[in-house]
Amino acid sequence: AAGLCPCRALLTGRSGALRAFCGSVRGLAAAPETHFGFQTVTEEERREKIYKVFESVAKKYDVMNDSMTLGIHRVWKDILVHKMNPSPGTLLLDVAGGTGDIAFRFINYVRSVRKHQLQQKLKHHQNLSWQEISESYQEDKSKSLGDSQVVVCDINKEMLKVGKQKAQHLGYSEGLSWVLGNAEELPFDDDQFDVYTIAFGIRNVTRIDLALQEAYRVLKPGGRFLCLEFSHVNNPLLSRLYDLYSFQVIPVLGEVIAGDWKSYQYLVESIRRFPAQEEFTAMIEDAGFFKVDYQNLNWGIVAIHSGFKL
Amino acid sequence: GRACLSHGEPRARHGRGEGEEEEGCYWLYPGHIPTSPLQKALLAAGSAFMALSDPYRHDMVAVLGETTGCLALPNLRDKMKHHPEGYRILQERPRIRLSTLDMARLRGLPDGTLGREYVRFLEDNKVSPDTRMPPKFVDDEELAYVIQRYREVHDLMHTLLGMPTNMLGEVVVKWFEAIQTGLPMCVLGAAFGPVHLSARKLQVLATELVPWAVRSARNASCILNVYYEQRWEQAVESLREEIGIFPPP
């Protein structure tokens, strides 16, 4: 193994040498270090690597999600939107929303709530004139979402591209917009949104504290923060099985289905690196949120954290 | 050397100075991904399934070869070690790539020479030697080279056997390679490749092409023991005779 060292140093070439150079130029202050999966890298490198991961997985993102979780991720996302229980007129910001899963569910939910509302209204007005009835139908068509809107924000162009294509394919257009942006520095004014969601995105953010601060900033007073993310499994037996599945099966699935082992290796490592439920709760509180709590799904494989801006 | 295999335990490794390590342990060559026996088994099964259902997934064929070659590859390497020309190849590690080949010179060689016919084959079939996948899952650096050499020599096999790159031609070459190398991936390819062929082609395959390929493969010396890069000027027919490949039907 020792004999391999000089060879490896040569082969790593560019990035190793560049980092050494930067280190010497900056003198004593080295670039802040963080993690990329189980590797130690600088923050800038981490951002770049993560961008490349999602650029590479974008086209097969949905297929891989279904394969890795055997479709269960759909249930998790349904639960998130049900917990949100948005009423018509809600303005949602879905960060790291890439391929649109949360946005589409939001739209479906709000549509069905609105439909239910209108049905209830019509039931109580049995003696409307034909004029009034036809007017209310027109109102239905133009306000099927009842002024609800969702802004999907993602840092990665490829993921947004896939999301837009999906929206077109599935027929979502009204009340939906797509914005290229960074969770650590959102391109929105203060106090804009009723709800902020981030589903399976926050563990890929390099400065989680900044993302949480931004979430607080852009939410209206009374607004809600919701985060759906992989978390820690306490049960030792389950934890072992989960580890076995994550590390032995998922990268293989990545290679066989998407031809990309490394991105999926990163994904499972990044899950282990993300803070556990209680620690993340504390981080959310640090950003200023109140009434912060979490709900474990599937014994902690996934957790939904919720907080309010008062 | 052998790699220790990752068990997925979190270990923060220092990237500075030593460069980045991709897995729980050292990678033995660029692109190496150490895998556990379970992962290899899953990869073998998954890639076999994927390669069959989507024949355009050449990367899956490559992965299948790597994960199932644990017996055949050392065998091939030993055959090379015990042959003077093969031994030299293992020492010098030549690579067949567009950047290392002098295409203009090869094109200028007389018809019937290995170099000329090889270039003709590449152009007629619109293929390039650079599309070969580098190995990832072979846990020995020398064996990784052996499988890489096998992949790069594949096009030369087509040239020597006179087979095009359509499904029929590929199956014939697979039969030849299966007997020559013993790689399970070749055996599987030879056995299941014909699934995609029409009845008429199957007949030609079974009655003429496969018997000839099998006879030639048995008669021929190890095809990895030929230093092709030093034989561009040699006539294809003479090289065939030297190796022991019978003239194609």
Side-chain angles (χ1 to χ4, degrees):
Chain A
L4 289 168
C5 277
C7 192
R8 229 166 347 114
L10 275 174
L11 286 164
T12 53
R14 204 173 56 95
S15 80
L18 200 61
R19 206 150 10 101
F21 176 76
C22 286
S24 65
V25 162
R26 264 180 263 193
L28 291 167
E33 291 212 322
T34 177
H35 53 85
F36 177 74
F38 292 159
Q39 296 173 44
T40 302
V41 296
T42 65
E43 285 187 357
E44 206 35 61
E45 280 176 330
R46 186 191 140 100
R47 287 192 185 98
E48 259 177 55
K49 278 174 167 306
I50 290 176
Y51 192 91
K52 287 215 177 77
V53 164
F54 283 93
E55 204 175 44
S56 155
V57 307
K59 292 206 175 79
K60 296 260 175 139
Y61 187 70
D62 293 332
V63 168
M64 281 300 303
N65 283 348
D66 276 333
S67 318
M68 292 190 290
T69 64
L70 302 172
I72 301 174
H73 73 106
R74 297 166 183 238
V75 176
W76 293 332
K77 288 165 182 164
D78 286 340
I79 293 177
L80 178 71
V81 175
H82 267 83
K83 192 178 171 98
M84 191 196 304
N85 191 17
S87 47
T90 300
L91 188 47
L92 168 67
L93 173 63
D94 181 33
V95 176
T99 57
D101 280 347
I102 302 297
F104 303 150
R105 280 172 172 78
F106 170 81
I107 292 175
N108 290 344
Y109 193 97
V110 160
R111 264 200 197 132
S112 81
V113 168
R114 177 103 180 117
K115 197 161 144 204
H116 187 73
Q117 272 179 351
L118 292 170
Q119 276 171 353
Q120 290 294 85
K121 199 170 88 178
L122 281 178
K123 254 199 216 160
H124 290 122
H125 292 100
Q126 290 298 336
N127 51 348
L128 287 176
S129 70
W130 281 117
Q131 176 84 353
E132 283 165 311
I133 291 176
S134 79
E135 267 173 14
S136 79
Y137 279 140
Q138 298 233 345
E139 218 185 79
D140 292 358
K141 281 217 170 68
S142 66
K143 283 188 170 187
S144 70
L145 286 180
D147 290 330
S148 316
Q149 273 190 69
V150 51
V151 177
V152 179
C153 180
D154 199 291
I155 198 174
N156 194 293
K157 289 196 194 92
E158 286 303 310
M159 293 291 280
L160 278 177
K161 202 162 114 184
V162 172
K164 284 185 197 163
Q165 284 169 353
K166 239 169 94 178
Q168 216 177 30
H169 184 67
L170 295 170
Y172 293 99
S173 53
E174 207 191 324
L176 180 61
S177 48
W178 307 85
V179 174
L180 187 68
N182 183 346
E184 295 171 8
E185 206 180 327
L186 290 171
F188 306 108
D189 284 331
D190 301 2
D191 308 323
Q192 294 288 310
F193 299 96
D194 297 307
V195 186
Y196 172 113
T197 50
I198 184 164
F200 301 117
I202 204 160
R203 75 175 190 286
N204 298 309
V205 170
T206 300
R207 290 285 303 276
I208 296 176
D209 56 334
L210 292 181
L212 292 171
Q213 284 168 30
E214 281 292 272
Y216 190 85
R217 181 180 70 77
V218 302
L219 275 171
K220 291 182 190 159
R224 188 176 197 183
F225 168 86
L226 280 167
C227 172
L228 175 66
E229 190 53 85
F230 287 109
S231 199
H232 284 234
V233 176
N234 259 332
N235 179 314
L237 174 63
L238 202 61
S239 176
R240 290 261 295 277
L241 285 173
Y242 179 44
D243 279 353
L244 188 75
Y245 178 73
S246 296
F247 285 97
Q248 299 297 315
V249 178
I250 287 182
V252 173
L253 281 177
E255 180 71 23
V256 172
I257 297 176
D260 189 349
W261 176 287
K262 299 219 166 123
S263 293
Y264 289 91
Q265 179 75 34
Y266 159 72
L267 246 50
V268 300
E269 289 179 359
S270 69
I271 292 173
R272 296 302 177 289
R273 278 293 194 158
F274 187 71
Q277 287 85 330
E278 296 292 345
E279 197 189 327
F280 189 49
T281 298
M283 289 172 79
I284 300 172
E285 282 170 346
D286 283 344
F289 289 99
F290 284 93
K291 212 173 171 312
V292 182
D293 78 21
Y294 66 87
Q295 176 191 357
N296 273 342
L297 301 178
N298 289 121
W299 310 284
I301 292 180
V302 159
I304 297 180
H305 280 76
S306 160
F308 289 90
K309 172 175 178 171
L310 294 181
Chain B
R2 311 224 75 232
C4 61
L5 301 167
S6 79
H7 294 286
E9 282 155 20
R11 245 180 295 163
R13 297 181 306 285
H14 286 288
R16 195 168 283 178
E18 287 192 351
E20 284 139 33
E21 288 150 44
E22 302 294 342
E23 279 290 312
C25 291
Y26 304 118
W27 38 260
L28 296 167
Y29 49 88
H32 179 214
I33 299 175
T35 42
S36 67
L38 175 59
Q39 285 174 324
K40 286 204 176 67
L42 291 171
L43 272 174
S47 61
F49 174 75
M50 206 45 127
L52 262 182
S53 49
D54 186 356
Y56 291 102
R57 288 291 302 273
H58 298 301
D59 62 324
M60 287 292 101
V61 177
V63 169
L64 183 60
E66 288 168 34
T67 49
T68 53
C70 39
L71 287 173
L73 284 176
N75 219 355
L76 275 175
R77 188 252 312 268
D78 290 342
K79 273 193 193 160
M80 288 175 81
K81 254 194 181 150
H82 295 128
H83 186 278
E85 215 169 324
Y87 186 78
R88 250 188 320 122
I89 295 171
L90 277 179
Q91 295 295 98
E92 293 172 27
R93 304 273 180 104
R95 297 291 304 274
I96 301 178
R97 265 186 298 213
L98 283 178
S99 53
T100 56
L101 294 175
D102 187 350
M103 300 296 279
R105 184 182 82 99
L106 295 180
R107 213 175 278 124
L109 289 172
D111 285 346
T113 52
L114 182 64
R116 183 73 194 89
E117 296 310 313
Y118 175 60
V119 171
R120 181 168 291 141
F121 165 80
L122 291 178
E123 288 171 351
D124 284 350
N125 291 276
K126 298 191 182 44
V127 289
S128 144
D130 290 356
T131 56
R132 299 293 152 200
M133 297 259 331
K136 292 191 281 221
F137 303 112
V138 182
D139 289 333
D140 179 305
E141 185 261 331
E142 194 173 33
L143 295 181
Y145 175 74
V146 171
I147 207 172
Q148 176 101 76
R149 180 77 183 160
Y150 151 75
R151 283 180 192 156
E152 291 180 354
V153 155
H154 178 77
D155 289 335
L156 284 158
M157 286 305 100
H158 274 278
T159 310
L160 284 176
L161 295 172
M163 289 290 127
T165 55
N166 55 24
M167 202 65 208
L168 185 62
E170 291 291 352
V171 170
V172 177
V173 177
K174 275 285 164 290
W175 274 91
F176 183 84
E177 285 176 345
I179 296 191
Q180 274 275 312
T181 65
L183 282 168
M185 176 266 283
C186 297
V187 175
L188 287 171
F192 289 100
V195 151
H196 296 280
L197 291 173
S198 68
R200 193 174 42 91
K201 286 193 177 155
L202 273 174
Q203 216 204 358
V204 175
L205 187 72
T207 53
E208 284 179 34
L209 296 172
V210 166
W212 160 72
V214 168
R215 266 185 300 126
S216 291
R218 282 208 171 121
N219 187 51
S221 58
C222 181
I223 40 125
L224 287 184
N225 280 337
V226 180
Y227 208 135
Y228 298 100
E229 291 91 329
Q230 293 179 345
R231 292 165 176 267
W232 293 128
E233 288 88 1
Q234 190 174 359
V236 169
E237 285 184 8
S238 123
L239 185 58
R240 268 191 203 134
E241 231 186 275
E242 193 183 324
I243 298 177
I245 299 175
F246 300 123

